[in-house]
Amino acid sequence: MTKRIHVCVAWPYAAGERHIGHLAGAYLPPDIFARYHRLAGNQVLMVSGSDTHGTPITLRADQEGVSPADVVQRYHGRFVEGFLRFGLTFDLYTHTDTQNHWDVTHDLFLRHLERGYIYSDVQQQLYAVDDQRWLPDRYVEGVCPFCGFAQARGDQCDNCGRTYDAVELKNPRSKISGSANIETRPTEHFFLDLGKANDFLIDWLNRPDKADWRPNVLNFARAQAESRELRGRPITRDLDWGITIPVPGYDDKRIYVWYDAVIGYLSATKEWAQITGQPEAWQDWWQEGGAVESFYFIGKDNIPFHAIIWPAMLHGYGPIAAAPGAGPWLKLPSDVPANEYLTLGDFKFSSSYGNVISINEAAERYQVDAWRYALTAMAPEANDSEFTWQEFVRRVNTELVANWGNLVNRMLSFTYKQFNGRVPEPGPLDTADQALLTTVLAGFDSVGALYAARKFKAALDAALRLSQEVNRYINDRAPWQQIKSDRAAAGTSVYVALQAIDWLKLLFAPVLPFSSQQLHAYLGYEGQLFGRQYTQEVADARGQHLALRYDHSAAAGRWQASPLPAGQALHKPEALFIKLDDSVVAEELSRM
């Protein structure tokens, strides 16, 4: 039965380069997942966009003396370019400064206000006397009140991941001037009443369908809910950049980013529906109880927002239809497969601290599939994982090139030269031939199940082990020796190996889409394994914006073991992967 798989991807601040830590943690995993499900014949909708309203944007704008809109335009374009180069198959990658997103955010705000999930109150916030300005969240840094980290932000600690109010920071100082001449002053704001959703969250997080959630996500979320410490959290700030508050009398304040950014999953789905000419189609993806599974791919610093706050917001919205008791409710997350951090030395990759290897630069220097392979193999699925250039080179050379790449290259080159550039006609298959094909064939179930379970490292390992089985078969059969005395037997061995390679091409394809497409062509097939990516200018009442789009019709239902046609003409093969020189390590370390 065909499923609807809604893939929701973390929204990056349009304030700094996306780097390979982001790619490994939040952007590559959903693409692997989406590609697998499209191949398996499921209907997939993968959405995200650039977060245009965070204080990192206004902070950078202040530092550079430009407008926040200038910063957004620059980095949103860079994100689209980088994601396009890495083959991330968004059905829509948009941003939050669209009229559609403003409208959807206003709708949720007013519904939450109407249903008592939002209230107004006066709170103490930090004010920089020397700067003569309020210090919302990332405009301030200090010592974390929980772990003592000295460079904690005003909303969340990069070291321990805890969230808090900025007034809880110890030794706060302005990020603008560095001044510690800071006072707490009263200001009126709106609050999301998380405490009102506390009982619901405890019940929801303890339902049986949470059994396959990652322990790091589920344990954290349950602890937060069961502590019963959830309370009102301010969702507005004293800013002039952001979404307006749809209530009179608050012109000098804006809805804050953490409330509006998670709404992006809903607003992007609505924008996708509008762009495709099906304005009501968004409901097919958001009706609770429908045949939809929704997955939120994020980094661990976003766990509280996606496993606590966003579910509370969805619950607080109530039924889709405004009338009490009418219509289905908004779909809650089926899973939040958050990754830990990919670190560089002792620190996580961080745009804020300049500790990055940008994805745009990475794509320029090495093959994209080499990156996709290495970052999947190193992925911080359960624990923080350290990136080193030594490990990158080792993974590429001893696993990707020496195992899979070498198998493909030597078999296709041998076949092209010895069998007139065509797939040979096999003779009767013996026990060893059938055993190999049976083993690789089983990978469609076993490897597919791992992709579906969001266990991408394990899926890649399983596919690699099957490649090793084919290498062993070829070494045992040695068709380059067989052909000297029995051309027909050599042809059978070659056919069996090529058939296995053809199937492995699909098992690797979610991780290695570019080289799998290249191999698809070398084996003599026409057309695309996947669809095409493209950018599109989208206009609405707030102006034009660049959107990354994807046509995935070509991929549907390819996850199956089709027979390789004997006699099919091959294209002259070339090596799929480039072996890296050991000098890469020293060269890259000298850049940092």
Side-chain angles (χ1 to χ4, degrees), residues 217-243:
V217 178
L218 191 57
N219 293 341
F220 178 90
R222 281 177 174 168
Q224 289 280 297
E226 292 171 359
S227 71
R228 294 197 173 274
E229 294 178 357
L230 296 177
R231 62 187 190 277
R233 184 181 172 101
I235 63 169
T236 57
R237 294 292 191 273
D238 294 290
L239 292 167
D240 58 6
W241 175 257
I243 298 177

Side-chain angles (χ1 to χ4, degrees), residues 141-158 160 162-171 231:
E141 65 181 10
V143 177
C144 174
F146 296 102
C147 72
F149 182 58
Q151 292 178 296
R153 306 192 309 250
D155 57 349
Q156 187 175 23
C157 177
D158 279 337
C160 69
R162 296 287 294 271
T163 60
Y164 41 75
D165 292 331
V167 292
E168 297 179 71
L169 278 177
K170 299 176 182 178
N171 302 326
R231 62 187 190 277

Side-chain angles (χ1 to χ4, degrees), residues 139 184 265 290 387 412 415 516 567:
Y139 273 86
T184 56
Y265 304 114
F387 174 87
L412 265 67
T415 306
S516 293

Side-chain angles (χ1 to χ4, degrees), residues 13-16 50-76 95-97 133 139 239-242 254 542:
Y13 289 128
S50 299
D51 182 342
T52 66
H53 296 135
T55 47
I57 295 162
T58 53
L59 189 60
R60 181 175 284 275
D62 287 343
Q63 291 168 344
E64 296 182 2
V66 299
S67 72
D70 290 334
V71 174
V72 168
Q73 183 177 24
R74 180 199 321 162
Y75 285 106
H76 177 66
H95 65 60
T96 58
D97 197 26
R133 66 186 304 167
Y139 273 86
L239 292 167
D240 58 6
W241 175 257
R254 294 293 184 269
R542 297 192 62 76

